[in-house]
Amino acid sequence: MDKGFSLYIAAYKADGRLEIWLRGSAQKQYRLFKIFPFCKHSGILGPKLKEGDKQTPEGFYYITVFNPLSNFHLSLGINYPNNIDLLRSANQKPGNDIYIHGKCETVGCIPITDDKMKELYVLAVEARNEGQDQIPVHIFPFKITDINLDRYLTQFPQHRSFWTNLQWVKRRTKNAKAFHDKCENNQDSLCLAG
């Protein structure tokens, strides 16, 4: 890898997979670097709506916390709840403290094994040290293909609008960070659906 890179993280809840994407300073696109399996799951498919629901959020986030002294080996906190989550949760407390972490325990976070967490943590620190102010973390219910969307909507029809919008975004957004910024800052109706 060239000196200087950007990091992008994509999580797929149904598949239990965390994809680590890197883009070198001379590259235009991110390339898949590694895939880490979740070592435990919490909740069901669908976005997190309130504190205590044990749901892992779905949506567009970025890393806000680097915790080398975590009770869960190492941890990277995301900006849940973001503005969209606050609107979606209405008058209920949306919860907080969502992390990617080690130790294989969860009530709504994304746990990976300690060795994988160490590798991810080092990559995130290096990306930050190279000047990446925001490391995007996009959490999807599943790989959003037409087949998967049809399959999961039979079980979770209440998420049709939200997941259809996620599919639209995935197809049309080549620059993950640009879409993340649009959703976080403008509260676009596309991002709010669901």
Side-chain angles (χ1 to χ4, degrees):
M1 179 109 238
D2 296 335
K3 182 153 176 63
F5 65 90
S6 295
L7 172 64
Y8 163 67
I9 301 168
Y12 299 93
K13 290 168 45 173
D15 303 322
R17 85 191 245 150
L18 194 67
E19 294 182 349
I20 312 306
W21 294 76
L22 300 178
R23 183 182 67 203
S25 58
Q27 296 174 324
K28 291 185 179 183
Q29 294 184 339
Y30 285 92
R31 295 178 189 251
L32 183 61
F33 178 66
K34 292 211 172 171
I35 298 170
F36 297 150
F38 296 10
C39 57
K40 194 163 187 183
H41 295 266
S42 178
I44 59 173
L45 295 183
K48 181 170 185 62
L49 299 175
K50 64 181 181 177
E51 186 173 49
D53 64 6
K54 298 185 180 179
Q55 286 289 100
T56 300
E58 294 173 5
F60 302 96
Y61 306 96
Y62 57 87
I63 294 173
T64 56
V65 176
F66 290 76
N67 186 357
L69 302 174
S70 172
N71 291 330
F72 299 93
H73 185 58
L74 298 164
S75 59
L76 298 168
I78 64 170
N79 67 317
Y80 177 88
N82 62 25
N83 292 336
I84 305 309
D85 297 311
L86 291 172
L87 289 170
R88 186 180 289 125
S89 65
N91 295 324
Q92 302 179 73
K93 290 182 181 180
N96 56 14
D97 294 334
I98 301 295
Y99 289 83
I100 300 169
H101 59 69
K103 205 171 176 182
C104 293
E105 296 177 16
T106 186
V107 289
C109 295
I110 298 173
I112 56 179
T113 60
D114 290 353
D115 61 321
K116 306 277 192 258
M117 188 61 224
K118 182 178 179 182
E119 188 174 353
L120 177 57
Y121 192 89
V122 168
L123 284 170
V125 168
E126 288 179 1
R128 181 185 63 180
N129 290 346
E130 291 292 333
Q132 187 176 3
D133 294 330
Q134 290 187 347
I135 298 170
V137 177
H138 294 181
I139 305 172
F140 296 97
F142 45 83
K143 283 276 192 182
I144 303 185
T145 63
D146 289 336
I147 291 170
N148 281 344
L149 190 61
D150 289 343
R151 175 179 159 209
Y152 287 110
L153 282 175
T154 61
Q155 298 170 19
F156 302 97
Q158 70 273 29
H159 301 308
R160 175 176 297 283
S161 177
F162 179 54
W163 290 349
T164 301
N165 286 334
L166 288 178
Q167 180 187 40
W168 183 88
V169 169
K170 195 75 172 145
R171 285 183 175 167
R172 288 165 178 78
T173 304
K174 304 230 189 237
N175 182 341
K177 188 175 184 315
F179 182 77
H180 162 79
D181 292 343
K182 179 181 177 185
C183 282
E184 177 62 18
N185 297 326
N186 295 333
Q187 299 176 5
D188 188 292
S189 62
L190 168 66
C191 308
L192 289 172

